[in-house]
Amino acid sequence: MITESVPESFIRQAVLPMQKSSAANGNSSPDAEDNMSEILFITSYPPRECGIATYSQDLIKALNNKFDHSFRIRICPLESESEKHNYSEDIKFILNTDIPDAFTKLAAEINSSPEIRIVMIQHEFGFFEKKESEFMQFLSALNKPVVTVFHTVLPNPGELLKQKVLQISGLSESVIVMTNSSVKVLISDYGVNREKISVIPHGTHLVPHSEKSLLKNKYGLNGKKILSTFGLLSSGKSIETTLEALPVIAGKNPDVLFLIIGKTHPSVVKHEGEKYRKMLEEKIEQLKIQQYVKFINSFLPLSELLEYLQLTDIYLFTSRDPNQAVSGTFSYAISCGCPVISTPIPHAREVLKNDSGIIFDFENSQQLADAVNGLLKNEQHRKNISSNGLHRMASTAWENSAIAHAMLFENISGVHIPLNYNLPVINLDHVKKLTTDFGMIQFSKINQPDIESGYTLDDNARAMIAMCQHFELTGDEKDLKFIKIYLDFIKFCQLEEGNFLNYVDKDRKFTEQNESTNLEDSNGRAIWALGYLISVNSLFPDNFSSAYKDAEIILQNAFCNADKIHSTRAMAFTVKGLYYYNMKNPSVSNTVLIKQFADRLVQMYRHESDNEWKWFESYLTYANSILPEAMLCAWYATGEVVYRDTALTSFDFLLSKIFTEDRINVISNKSWLHRDNEPVPATAGGEQPIDVAYTILALRKFYDVSEDEDYLKKMKTSFNWFLGNNHLHQIIYNPCTGGCYDGLEENYVNLNQGAESTVSYLMARLVIEKSFNEEIHAGEKYQDFIKPIIAVTQNILF
């Protein structure tokens, strides 16, 4: 960004309390670490091989990635005399359940550790087998609030089991389960208070959704229709159900291959060795299906496992346990885009509704074979199930699970843990993926660019600004290639008369949509982008001078028709472009044009505004913050006080309509906010990333003028919308792909990651990065200033 001098009377002090994640910023300072609240996880933990150990590791990683400047997670692994491990991570305590007095000693350690604020227990009754009395005494002895996660909730309990669960629940501040079915069972069968129960679904991993053909080639599976299942093997998984269905499946699909991924569960090996696996191998021989089955007998690294799931054509879940409350394997498969065929465990009945999967009866191989064959011959149905499943599971991403857990920690009675969202690292992957040698593609299906959607001037203009911002910040010369692509696209869209068309199809031809759409906004965005590029030209290397000259020529041609622009937002975009251009090439003609548009906007403001409604129109619609920001730019360029006053009053009015104390809710595109109408509920949805991003850009500009701390705080609040501080408490930015989801609706997030949303996020992220860097620089300057004073003071005192 460009900085300018501002009247001293308009300046006040401000700070921006943003936090980068440890991955992006290294560890926080020792002093900050010493004062941080700790949450102690009591759980099985890797290298122990079990589902809950993996679950805890994934959850802790997600919590650290998002909130490691809010609290610190400490780990107490569960062990026994027959199950001991060496841990690669920092471990605070170890609970060996076979050692006498271990529970009592651990409770005393926890109670005497003031930094531990909450104890979180990942509960499975097998962990405390034959030590249930000691476990209950441990819970009773703790003087810290306990959060218990029930990984198993059995219906129709006997009286003894019911009392155990009630006692654990009674000693817990909060209880977490992973499905709504489990909530119903806890209430109806156990009598647990509903207010104590939270539902946080089993987390799932964000994946890049790579092409199946590429992954099949990587693993030597070309030409195969892949069925798969994974997890630690035991008889409860009923793999034989699939084996018995395979002859019928292979009869119609001779290119099928069933992958059985996973080693035998360690506890099963201890009790019965490899008896179950050998039974499966014998059955494969009996059925003569050796060529259709492949064992992958290992506990795969996560990245490899997720790739196997992404190349899977159909995932099979054949558990024979009707009381299995939840399955992490099942969840992971859906989040990787696998169409799932499952037995009717409660989790499946809850998730696989509305064509999100297929359910068959326990141990019914014929039903399974029919379902598999039906899906294998209908690719479109598989795609529909995959898409429905992805949208249904989006809220379960580990990032969202971390948000849900952090909010629960924040609200535990007697514990005050303010949440600071970590800044994700800047990631250009999806921006580059959307960009061809011609320009930026308009839409994506999930994170796969949809070339059928073509290109727009709007997206390429915004993309050029974002890449200029990135080059300003990093000096990365790889950015220049992309800036040139976007500039050439803008040039391609300009007509001889100087104005621009917006819509271009995949064959690089202008579409009929240009004839039926008002293109003034698009023209204004192009002028903004060109002016911005020219304003930062001094940063570019000498060999990039031709791009600067091209931008000059394109912009001068555009000015020939600029005075014909009358659309409110188009005028604002044009003012911004003129403002940036004038900073590099000041002239009377530039100032005249700026005044022409600014005067029109002032006239609109005076016509519509009154004591209650301080705005340029009788409604608030899209890109609202562009209008007061443009007025501020006009004041910067001309010194006309009326522009500044209009900017401030209109912007403060807008902020009063879209901010609550701790959240931003931009105007919904479902129903614009009209004068004298009731505001749309904050949970109505229809919130677009571009509106949040434009608000952040405007807040930064107003802060540059006033250095009012409130603008900076609102920048942070606004950016946290992308990170989960919204009415669904879900991420809008996908840190795995570098893409941004297309919208926040009432009950779901639109998972498509198109150009508008992705570039808008990037623009906002780069503005926040600049502010973060300035905060650090200011702190360093303060240290340089204060150290000599401290030294002198110490000499005087001592």
Side-chain angles (χ1 to χ4, degrees), residues 734-757:
N734 184 321
C736 173
T737 65
C740 181
Y741 297 137
D742 278 353
L744 176 70
E745 302 301 336
E746 183 175 359
N747 299 310
Y748 68 95
V749 173
N750 182 338
L751 298 185
N752 296 325
Q753 297 160 51
E756 177 184 291
S757 55

Side-chain angles (χ1 to χ4, degrees), residues 248-266:
V248 176
I249 296 170
K252 293 188 176 182
N253 298 277
D255 53 353
V256 77
L257 181 66
F258 177 41
L259 303 180
I260 304 172
I261 305 169
K263 63 193 293 186
T264 304
H265 199 293

Side-chain angles (χ1 to χ4, degrees), residues 708-758:
D708 186 336
E709 181 180 348
D710 188 55
Y711 290 136
L712 226 50
K713 287 180 179 178
K714 283 183 167 64
M715 277 177 63
K716 177 184 177 183
T717 299
S718 300
F719 193 77
N720 286 345
W721 181 90
F722 291 104
L723 308 181
N725 186 20
N726 49 62
H727 75 263
L728 289 184
H729 308 298
Q730 293 182 32
I731 55 169
I732 309 299
Y733 170 69
N734 184 321
C736 173
T737 65
C740 181
Y741 297 137
D742 278 353
L744 176 70
E745 302 301 336
E746 183 175 359
N747 299 310
Y748 68 95
V749 173
N750 182 338
L751 298 185
N752 296 325
Q753 297 160 51
E756 177 184 291
S757 55
T758 295

Side-chain angles (χ1 to χ4, degrees), residues 479-481 483-484 487 533 537 540-549:
D479 294 344
L480 301 178
K481 167 189 170 184
I483 293 171
K484 185 67 166 61
L487 177 61
L533 184 149
N537 175 64
F540 296 136
D542 292 341
N543 61 7
F544 202 65
S545 60
S546 63
Y548 167 76
K549 292 175 182 176

Side-chain angles (χ1 to χ4, degrees), residues 301-319:
L302 178 63
S303 59
E304 192 173 336
L305 171 62
L306 295 177
E307 287 189 334
Y308 270 111
L309 290 175
Q310 288 175 79
L311 65 80
T312 293
D313 293 292
I314 303 175
Y315 184 82
L316 306 177
F317 184 82
T318 54
S319 170

Side-chain angles (χ1 to χ4, degrees), residues 45-59:
Y45 203 73
R48 182 169 176 173
E49 293 175 345
C50 79
I52 294 178
T54 304
Y55 168 93
S56 293
Q57 184 180 50
D58 288 339
L59 174 57

